[in-house]
Amino acid sequence: MKPKKALWDTRLKRVIGDAIADFQPVAQTGVAVAVLQNGGIAFSGGFGWRDRQSRKKVTARTVFPIGSATKAFNSMVLAIHAAPPHGNFTLDMPVTDYAPDFAMQQAKPTTDMTLVDMLSHQTGLPRNDALWYLGPFSRCQLYFRLRGLAQINGAFRTAFLYNNLMYMTAGHLLEYLTGSAWE
């Protein structure tokens, strides 16, 4: 038997409120929550402040920056498209096998780099966040600029170097492989 909606909402709000209180280092941290059940929205609501200074509360419609959640999207969609029946590529194939115009500054990463290398931050390319975050470049333009970016000698597949630009590149390759826009 399904509990009445008001009781369900009250219990869920208490659980979410307790989780925020227990796990957030800043009091009244804002969070929007949606619960899907049987293909529909069973609950949506906001908690805390979206702006503490002006005392504006979070609502179910508050928009937050997505941040690194896109890394999970890229990885998941690439894995789905690499698996049968879609798969005309694998995550461990050299990128140049399906994108011959791919190039890095160093020869070995150019010929050997795979999506696994990109998704596990093992490319040898240090962060160049200002290039993509502050620059006016499209994904395609950034993709072709990779060949001009210095890599750390000996770091390909031997060092973890967190890199947003390589996840953007994986997203661009996803577009190339599927023929669909990342969005």
Side-chain angles (χ1 to χ4, degrees), residues 79-90:
I80 288 169
H81 282 279
H86 307 287
N88 60 346
F89 68 97
T90 64

Side-chain angles (χ1 to χ4, degrees), residues 3 33 38 56 58 71 81 100 107 129 137 140 168:
V33 176
N38 299 325
K56 292 180 181 173
V58 172
K71 289 178 178 64
H81 282 279
D129 290 344
F137 308 114
C140 184
M168 180 280 320

Side-chain angles (χ1 to χ4, degrees), residues 62-74 132-133 162 164 182:
T62 299
V63 177
F64 291 92
I66 195 163
S68 289
T70 57
K71 289 178 178 64
F73 301 161
N74 269 359
W132 69 270
Y133 190 71
Y162 186 87
N164 290 305
W182 185 91

Side-chain angles (χ1 to χ4, degrees), residues 69-118:
T70 57
K71 289 178 178 64
F73 301 161
N74 269 359
S75 300
M76 179 192 66
V77 175
L78 282 162
I80 288 169
H81 282 279
H86 307 287
N88 60 346
F89 68 97
T90 64
L91 298 180
D92 57 358
M93 282 173 63
V95 171
T96 52
D97 283 5
Y98 52 84
D101 58 2
F102 175 77
M104 299 293 289
Q105 192 177 64
Q106 296 177 0
K108 185 162 180 60
T110 295
T111 59
D112 295 358
M113 190 174 301
T114 68
L115 285 165
V116 170
D117 297 320
M118 289 180 191

Side-chain angles (χ1 to χ4, degrees), residues 51-64:
D51 185 329
R52 281 189 212 38
Q53 186 174 2
S54 66
R55 307 291 287 177
K56 292 180 181 173
K57 291 185 175 189
V58 172
T59 71
R61 298 202 178 275
T62 299
V63 177
F64 291 92

